[in-house]
Amino acid sequence: MRPKLWAAVSLLTVMSMAIPAHAQQTINLRDADVRAYIQDVARATGRTFIIDPRVQGKVSVVSERPLGRDAYFELFLSTLRANGLVVIPASGGAFRVQPADGAAAQPGGSGSSRNRFVTQVFRLNSIDAASAAETLRPLISREGQVTSNRSGNAIIVADYADNVARVRSLLGQIDRDRQTTRVVPLKNAGAREIAGALNQLGGSGPGGDPADGGGAARGGVQVVAIDSSNAVALRGDAAAVQKMAETVLDLDRRAAAGADVRVIFLAHADAEKLLPVLQQLVGQAPTTTAPTATTPNTAQQPFGNRQASVSASAPSVSATPIAGATIGRGQAVIARYEGANAIIISAPGDVQRQLGEVIRQLDTRREQVLVEAIIVEISDVVAKKLGVQFLLTGTGGSNIPFSVTNYSNAVPNLLTVAGAVASEKTDPGSTLTQTLRDAAVSTLLSATGGSFGLGGKLGNNAIFGFVINAVKSDTNSNVLSTPSIMTLDNQQAKILVGQEIPISTGESLSSNFDNAFRTIQRQNVGIQLDVKPQINAGGTIKLALRQEVSSIAGPVSSTSSELILNKRELSTTVTVDDGQIIALGGLIDDNERRTIEKVPLLGDIPGLGVLFRSKSRSRTKTNLMVFIRPTIVRSAPDAQRLAAERYNYMRDAELAQNGGNPSETTSLDSMVRDYLHTAPPALPAPTVPR
């Protein structure tokens, strides 16, 4: 019989056998259309099916015995599963028939049938979700999916109901905490030293860095040092923990019979500064290289007394040593070796352990702080002067009448010039004439702006002269300084950019005035920044700083060589957030001065009064502001980034000055490569978040 005819007869046979739900039926299909098969099952079971448009193909089902409605529906689900189709419960009691590919991404529900496609969430108590998902992934069917939720420590399984049931059973067996925890107290050795030794046996693991006292040691046992109680905590398999605990106790017993002398090499701290602190703890007289006036003359309490205060300054007398801090009959001794920056401790084991813990906490890498300052000074000076001087005098007789105007704010001085001219004509070679001549030259040279003068005779017995001086000046200045310096946390630093100028402090002459000598003192003039940063909790920085900007204004007067110094100084202590800019202080000054000198009554005449008065006006405006910005440098990439930014700034400045393009090699680049034999600093690669 032809296949198509046979399929049609089979389908008609089944359809003719459709009977009430409580009856049993036998099915026999050969290459029947799957959509017709689903329709027949819907009539036989009374269920509603939603068929996905992608559902296509032929199915073959053979049943040798009659089946009830539930068994018939279960056979239907198995048939679809064998043909790459799934049945997913939908809302309203219906079922959705679709291809198995992508079924895990569709919403589904739970059901009792093992062939239904369901999704369930399993909460884990002991094992990690990621490792559990990797373990179960080979057990999931091709159409199913398993994903892990790290935050909730759970896994999500979407698969056929029978596979999900098997996953549930397996998780019940593997999600068990079979580890034990044990704390081993130590009497002689240090907890961090023992933990570091055990971690080095098997390498650091998820527990932490061996240098920090935590890690996964050999045998899967996690070892953590507890500094407060000097104990070691072990966690892992019970048998492995027991063996590790025996090793810890054995090392602790051996430490009791160890050497009484221990050498500790410092990684970051300074042995010279750390030595007096440790000596005070054991009651030993501190060793100081350069005692200061601030050194207290009080003894510190011995080590172990919780009320004792540890000071970095060295006392002049030794404190009472602690009980047990002796070697045989002698006292515990602490010294340092300059060549290797090491501390040598000669004391019993328990004292060595306590001092070793103190050294560990103090011997840490200190962060650095970059302090950048901006000093801005903008000033504007405007001056105007207008003055008229005249002279009228007679030349004959003993009683010579004269009339003259002379003002303090007018130059040149007409009286000085007229006196020099008159003395030159009457007594050319006298000392008085030379003195008047020098004074006249000085007042002429000090004149600024525009000057106009005229003089002559009025008949045979009178002379006259007048001088007009007009000045207008406008001076603008903009001073911008940006000193910066990097220093360690809690370490004072200083930068000075300027000159040393001589300042006279004394002058002496011998009795006959032939052995004159002068004493001078050198003084710094320029930009100076003194700073001491202290990094606090939360990223704030406490800055104790002093900022000074000084310059030479000029001599005190034309007859004195002493100098006048302009000085702007700021000394304060502030708290600034990391990377933030704060205004330390400044000055806004507006100074205006007006001066008028005139002849009474004559200077008030409208129009004509200009000839009998001298006016001057000056205005000085000064804006001064100081800004500061500290930046914490915590790591090598931070330091590399700062160095690269400043290097590129100077390189760009050199290129702009020479008119070159960025691809050219500058003299700065050549100096770094040829002299330092290294590559110019570059910005670090950006970190990619995991």
Side-chain angles (χ1 to χ4, degrees), residues 190-241:
R192 192 167 293 270
E193 181 181 6
I194 295 296
L198 295 177
N199 289 326
Q200 290 180 6
L201 293 177
S204 61
D209 189 352
D212 296 333
R218 182 174 299 176
V221 179
Q222 187 176 1
V223 183
V224 178
I226 305 175
D227 298 324
S228 59
S229 59
N230 192 36
V232 175
L234 308 175
R235 179 172 174 79
D237 184 72
V241 169

Side-chain angles (χ1 to χ4, degrees), residues 78-129:
S78 300
T79 303
L80 295 184
R81 179 176 179 179
N83 288 272
L85 302 174
V86 294
V87 177
I88 301 175
S91 59
F95 295 89
R96 184 172 59 253
V97 182
Q98 68 178 52
D101 295 339
Q106 300 295 330
S110 60
S112 58
S113 175
R114 64 185 182 86
N115 291 303
R116 293 185 183 180
F117 208 88
V118 297
T119 303
Q120 287 195 11
V121 179
F122 298 93
R123 302 287 181 182
L124 304 178
N125 299 320
S126 302
I127 62 176
D128 180 68

Side-chain angles (χ1 to χ4, degrees), residues 171-340:
L171 286 178
Q173 299 179 29
I174 64 177
D175 188 23
R176 296 179 181 178
D177 188 7
R178 294 183 176 88
Q179 294 185 337
T180 183
T181 302
R182 179 175 176 182
V183 179
V184 183
L186 303 176
K187 297 181 180 179
N188 306 302
R192 192 167 293 270
E193 181 181 6
I194 295 296
L198 295 177
N199 289 326
Q200 290 180 6
L201 293 177
S204 61
D209 189 352
D212 296 333
R218 182 174 299 176
V221 179
Q222 187 176 1
V223 183
V224 178
I226 305 175
D227 298 324
S228 59
S229 59
N230 192 36
V232 175
L234 308 175
R235 179 172 174 79
D237 184 72
V241 169
Q242 178 62 28
K243 293 181 180 180
M244 189 67 70
E246 294 176 357
T247 303
V248 172
L249 294 175
D250 182 57
L251 293 175
D252 188 44
R253 286 191 298 268
R254 293 177 182 271
D260 290 334
V261 179
R262 181 182 179 187
V263 179
I264 302 178
F265 292 92
L266 303 180
H268 306 285
D270 188 354
E272 181 180 0
K273 296 181 179 180
L274 186 59
L275 178 63
V277 178
L278 300 177
Q279 289 176 334
Q280 290 179 77
L281 298 180
V282 298
Q284 179 184 349
T287 302
T288 57
T289 56
T292 61
T294 58
T295 302
N297 193 21
T298 58
Q300 298 292 333
Q301 296 294 329
F303 185 82
N305 187 349
R306 297 185 180 273
Q307 301 298 328
S309 59
V310 179
S311 174
S313 58
S316 60
V317 296
S318 60
T320 305
I322 63 175
T326 57
I327 307 173
R329 296 181 180 180
Q331 181 180 338
V333 178
I334 304 175
R336 72 180 179 98
Y337 177 58
E338 299 181 7

Side-chain angles (χ1 to χ4, degrees), residues 307 320 385 443 454 550 565 576 582 588 599 670:
Q307 301 298 328
T320 305
K385 294 181 181 180
T443 188
L454 183 64
S550 57
L565 300 182
V576 193
I582 185 174
I588 300 177
V599 178
S670 301

Side-chain angles (χ1 to χ4, degrees), residues 87-88 108 110 165 176 196 210 260 266 275 305 326 361 380 393 413 416 427 480 505 528 541 584 616 658 690:
V87 177
I88 301 175
S110 60
R176 296 179 181 178
D260 290 334
L266 303 180
L275 178 63
N305 187 349
T326 57
Q361 297 183 35
D380 184 11
T393 182
N413 191 299
T416 305
D427 191 5
L480 178 64
T505 59
Q528 181 173 339
I541 305 172
L584 292 182
S616 66
N658 299 330
R690 299 194 307 175

